[in-house]
Amino acid sequence: MSAVTAAPVANPRFTRGQAIGAILAVAAAVGIELLPLQGSLPAAGQHMLAILAFAVIIWISEAMDYTVSSILIAALIIFLVGSAPSVANPDVPYGTQGGLKLALAGFSNSGLALVAAALFIAAAMTVTGLDQRIALFTMSHIGAGGRRVLIGSIIVTILLSFVVPSATARTACVVPIMLGGIASLKLDRKGPLAASIMITIAQATSIWNIGIMTSAAQNLLSRGFVEKQFGADQALAWVDWLIAGAPWAVIMSVILYFVVRKVLPPEIEEIPGGKQAMAESYRALGSMTAPEKRLLAISLVLLGLWATENKLHSLDTASTTIAGVALMLLPGIGVMTWKQAQKLIPWGTVIVFAVGISLGTALLDTKAAQWLSSSVVQAFQLDTLSPFAIFALLSAFLILIHLGFASATALTAALMPILINVLASVPDLNAPGIAMLLAFTVSFGFILPVNAPQNMVCLGTETFTTRQFTMVGLWLTVAGYALLLLFALTWWPLLGLI
């Protein structure tokens, strides 16, 4: 009896667009490598600038999967930086061991631990169904009229932003519930109301990525870079981020409601039996299960610990979150098994995040970020500008360049270390505060569906077109940027951030 062998899996080839992106990325990296050393830039720093150019073009062009490109970037750090003289001791090369240490630096970062823990919490919400219960409970009490369903979508997104620290997971939870609501309410799936519901979910998710620190991975990555550059006491705690970002997010949520209503007027305002249909969906869940109750208790305790960090206790967010995850996995009192979590955790996200931290750390340690930032300060004469003008200029730059990125995490990894050093190079500037505020603008993925994973999840429902999404997104981007500037003149100076 012959053994059955598995058919080999074909490795997908580059598409034409991906091939062009890959060629441009390699060409940019090689071009930088062939340049003569520039002034105070060390050889290791030049290698890192070549790797940075390669990474940016690969990520913008999406020439390969993010996880694959991240592993490739780690390999480039190991061998290119490893071949260069050490910045600390130019007589001794880094060697592959030194390059490996830089490439793996992100895997020992507390920010990565928090992101991984957040993914476990999101998986626990899915396993227990607590996220669905929260969403349906909210919608069943708000109602299902044209106005109410939009308000409900925003409120559900806000509530889940506190307890589900993953934008993609939150969206993936709410979308099926709202699709079921659209079907049960007998709405036209291609109609304006269905489109406005799905666009609202995606846009509200991006807005509250800014309002709550633990709601998005890029926030934690930015905070980690600020902590490395200026010290842990200079990075915003969870509650400080909430105080700074939540008022902006609340106002933007109101603006979102009116923009969506204006751009996509609903075909119907009152839906007969709509509230009852939502209530029936909620009742169909039955009584709250024991795992749901335990997960809710753990989530509320974590929220309390996050909110009181450095106020009532000195336990940092990452440590308390890991402890919470441990409770979720403990036999007998936990809410899920390791096998359940293993299947639901997007491990590629963990790798991308870790390598992103490593990329930023290597840019700093090889003095590449410092050299590039000083060049930017001199070229644009930032040292002659006011703090407000610097924030206005750099935030506009981040919003515009985000159009080319499909990942806020990749954008953060590529640019935040450089911008942080730009700020540090300007005298008499609250560099840590403005750096944390610039982290807000990284989540401006309002204009194109490809600018954020949650946008793509909602686009996959085929309830709206790219044009409809962009029409709403353009208004939100203009309003959001104007509101950033208003807060930079009023609220944030009172908090000592500018």
Side-chain angles (χ1 to χ4, degrees):
M1 187 173 180
S2 60
V4 178
T5 57
V9 178
N11 199 23
R13 296 179 180 274
F14 283 116
T15 64
R16 180 181 177 84
Q18 289 174 326
I20 293 173
I23 291 170
L24 289 175
V26 172
V30 171
I32 292 174
E33 287 286 359
L34 293 177
L35 290 174
L37 279 178
Q38 305 295 310
S40 60
L41 179 65
Q46 182 165 341
H47 292 326
M48 280 309 306
L49 290 181
I51 295 170
L52 175 64
F54 175 85
V56 169
I57 296 173
I58 284 289
W59 286 336
I60 289 178
S61 65
E62 296 186 87
M64 59 184 70
D65 178 82
Y66 278 100
T67 307
V68 175
S69 64
S70 297
I71 295 172
L72 178 57
I73 289 165
L76 290 174
I77 293 174
I78 293 170
F79 289 100
L80 287 181
V81 176
S83 67
S86 169
V87 172
N89 185 1
D91 295 329
V92 180
Y94 277 100
T96 53
Q97 286 297 320
L100 182 64
K101 185 178 179 180
L102 286 175
L104 298 183
F107 288 89
S108 61
N109 187 277
S110 62
L112 176 69
L114 185 51
V115 168
L119 295 175
F120 275 94
I121 294 173
M125 287 282 174
T126 301
V127 169
T128 61
L130 181 59
D131 50 2
Q132 291 188 20
R133 186 175 295 277
I134 293 172
L136 284 174
F137 174 82
T138 305
M139 293 304 301
S140 66
H141 283 75
I142 290 175
R147 292 182 176 86
R148 289 176 177 269
V149 74
L150 289 185
I151 295 173
S153 299
I154 294 171
I155 292 176
V156 165
T157 302
I158 295 172
L159 292 176
L160 290 178
S161 295
F162 282 96
V163 294
V164 183
S166 166
T168 308
R170 291 197 301 275
T171 309
C173 156
V174 177
V175 163
I177 293 171
M178 298 311 298
L179 283 177
I182 289 169
S184 63
L185 299 174
K186 297 180 174 58
L187 296 176
D188 179 6
R189 186 160 171 155
K190 300 289 186 180
L193 183 53
S196 63
I197 292 170
M198 290 301 160
I199 291 175
T200 296
I201 292 169
Q203 304 287 27
T205 300
S206 293
I207 287 171
W208 281 91
N209 279 352
I210 295 169
I212 301 170
M213 185 180 74
T214 49
S215 63
Q218 61 266 21
N219 298 345
L220 306 174
L221 186 55
S222 295
R223 187 183 186 277
F225 288 143
V226 171
E227 186 174 321
K228 177 177 175 58
Q229 179 74 20
F230 303 109
D233 60 326
Q234 296 298 312
L236 292 181
W238 189 90
V239 71
D240 296 323
W241 184 296
L242 187 73
I243 292 171
W248 181 93
V250 168
I251 297 173
M252 279 300 295
S253 297
V254 175
I255 292 173
L256 169 63
Y257 169 79
F258 285 106
V259 167
V260 170
R261 293 274 302 175
K262 182 69 175 177
V263 175
L264 296 167
E267 69 272 28
I268 184 172
E269 286 292 0
E270 295 302 325
I271 304 170
K275 187 173 183 178
Q276 291 82 348
M278 286 290 183
E280 288 174 8
S281 297
Y282 176 66
R283 283 195 295 270
L285 294 177
S287 300
M288 202 172 192
T289 64
E292 284 181 276
K293 292 177 182 177
R294 292 196 294 270
L295 179 56
L296 180 60
I298 292 171
S299 299
L300 292 177
V301 170
L302 284 177
L303 276 176
L305 290 171
W306 294 342
T308 54
E309 179 188 351
N310 295 329
K311 303 294 188 296
L312 300 180
H313 61 85
S314 59
L315 302 174
D316 63 275
T317 303
S319 300
T320 54
T321 307
I322 291 172
V325 171
L327 289 176
M328 293 176 194
L329 291 169
L330 277 180
I333 64 173
V335 299
M336 63 180 174
T337 65
W338 172 255
K339 287 186 177 180
Q340 288 174 316
Q342 193 175 25
K343 293 177 181 178
L344 293 171
I345 300 295
W347 297 105
T349 300
V350 177
I351 293 175
V352 171
F353 190 88
V355 173
I357 296 174
S358 297
L359 178 65
T361 300
L363 285 167
L364 292 169
D365 288 351
T366 61
K367 307 301 180 183
Q370 292 87 328
W371 178 85
L372 195 57
S373 64
S374 63
S375 301
V376 171
V377 169
Q378 292 174 9
F380 293 95
Q381 297 184 327
L382 293 184
D383 52 344
T384 65
L385 300 179
S386 67
F388 171 78
I390 292 173
F391 172 73
L393 178 66
L394 295 181
S395 58
F397 166 72
L398 278 174
I399 291 170
L400 288 173
I401 201 168
H402 195 170
L403 292 172
F405 279 83
S407 167
T409 304
L411 174 62
T412 304
L415 294 182
M416 281 304 292
I418 296 168
L419 294 181
I420 287 172
N421 268 277
V422 167
L423 297 172
S425 302
V426 179
D428 303 322
L429 188 71
N430 182 358
I434 295 181
M436 295 306 297
L437 296 180
L438 287 177
F440 292 177
T441 65
V442 174
S443 292
F444 266 58
F446 301 127
I447 297 177
L448 299 175
V450 296
N451 287 151
Q454 62 266 21
N455 300 351
M456 296 303 295
V457 172
C458 292
L459 182 67
T461 64
E462 299 181 346
T463 54
F464 61 88
T465 65
T466 298
R467 181 176 179 275
Q468 289 173 319
F469 188 91
T470 300
M471 287 171 62
V472 173
L474 285 170
W475 283 106
L476 289 179
T477 300
V478 172
Y481 180 64
L483 196 60
L484 285 177
L485 299 186
L486 178 61
F487 270 59
L489 289 171
T490 55
W491 179 236
W492 292 331
L494 291 177
L495 299 179
L497 295 175
I498 291 185

